[in-house]
């Protein structure tokens, strides 16, 4: 049985572990094996601890059989100037659950039908197709993330 629920501070370590696992599954074509191997669970957990204690950054998790298999989160727009009030700051789902409907549940928990913006890797066709099915379209925003080996992200809005 699956469930999507609001994350709580006690979820820090399981979200951090899921986050790293999702990156290792989703970004093998964009990031080097060395980069992915070096992802630090302790550092990731510290970041998640700060997110989960910040009520302006709500987070939801998808659980299946007692394990966290995905998560989503929002925040106020980080863009200057803001293009939407709300930004989907993350949505990740373990690869074996793609196509299960859990990604859609995580998106709906995070945004419902609200206008929002998000950033997605330009070379992530599966994620881009998912967002396009949910009425997100590119608006011309583009950025290279040097801290992630220069991955290019594009901004989508609805």
């Amino acid at each position: 049985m699956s469930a999507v629920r609001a994350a709580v501070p006690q979820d820090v370590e399981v979200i951090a572990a899921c986050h790293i696992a999702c990156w290792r599954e989703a970004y093998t074509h964009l990031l080097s094996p060395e980069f992915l191997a070096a992802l630090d669970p302790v550092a990731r957990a510290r970041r998640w601890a700060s997110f989960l204690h910040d009520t302006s950054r709500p987070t939801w998790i998808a659980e299946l059989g007692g394990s966290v298999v995905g998560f989503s989160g929002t925040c106020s727009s980080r863009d200057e100037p803001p293009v939407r009030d709300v930004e989907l700051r993350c949505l990740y789902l373990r690869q074996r659950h793609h196509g299960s409907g859990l990604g859609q549940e995580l998106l709906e928990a995070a945004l419902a039908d609200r206008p929002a913006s998000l950033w997605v890797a330009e070379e992530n066709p599966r994620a881009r197709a998912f967002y396009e099915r949910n009425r997100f379209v590119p608006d011309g925003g583009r950025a290279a993330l040097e801290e992630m080996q220069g991955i290019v992200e594009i901004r989508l809005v609805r």
Side-chain angles (χ1 to χ4, degrees):
M1 175 175 226
S2 67
V4 172
R5 66 169 174 84
V8 295
Q10 294 80 6
D11 294 321
V12 164
E13 291 192 13
V14 292
I15 295 173
C18 183
H19 197 171
I20 289 172
C22 287
W23 275 28
R24 288 178 175 159
E25 292 170 353
Y27 296 139
T28 58
H29 65 294
L30 296 172
L31 296 169
S32 71
E34 296 79 17
F35 183 97
L36 293 169
L39 293 171
D40 179 4
V42 173
R44 185 69 44 180
R46 274 195 301 269
R47 287 189 68 201
W48 274 105
S50 69
F51 291 156
L52 294 181
H53 284 93
D54 181 349
T55 58
S56 71
R57 291 176 168 257
T59 301
W60 295 266
I61 61 173
E63 292 178 306
L64 189 59
S67 296
V68 172
V69 298
F71 57 92
S72 62
T74 60
C75 62
S76 297
S77 177
R78 296 173 287 182
D79 296 317
E80 273 307 317
V83 295
R84 297 290 188 270
D85 292 337
V86 176
E87 180 177 331
L88 182 69
R89 67 178 164 79
C90 59
L91 194 160
Y92 288 99
L93 184 64
R94 295 296 307 269
Q95 190 171 36
R96 68 183 171 272
H97 301 291
H98 289 180
S100 69
L102 281 173
Q104 191 66 43
E105 287 183 47
L106 285 165
L107 181 64
E108 289 170 10
L111 293 175
D113 204 32
R114 295 183 293 173
S117 65
L118 63 90
W119 289 87
V120 63
E122 186 172 42
E123 297 300 322
N124 190 342
R126 183 178 187 89
R128 289 184 61 184
F130 171 78
Y131 292 125
E132 288 168 12
R133 283 193 306 275
N134 283 280
R135 301 181 337 272
F136 283 91
V137 296
D139 77 343
R142 196 168 194 273
L145 302 178
E146 295 310 316
E147 70 277 10
M148 287 183 66
Q149 298 186 322
I151 285 179
V152 174
E153 289 189 320
I154 60 171
R155 185 174 51 217
L156 305 180
V157 297
R158 75 168 181 198

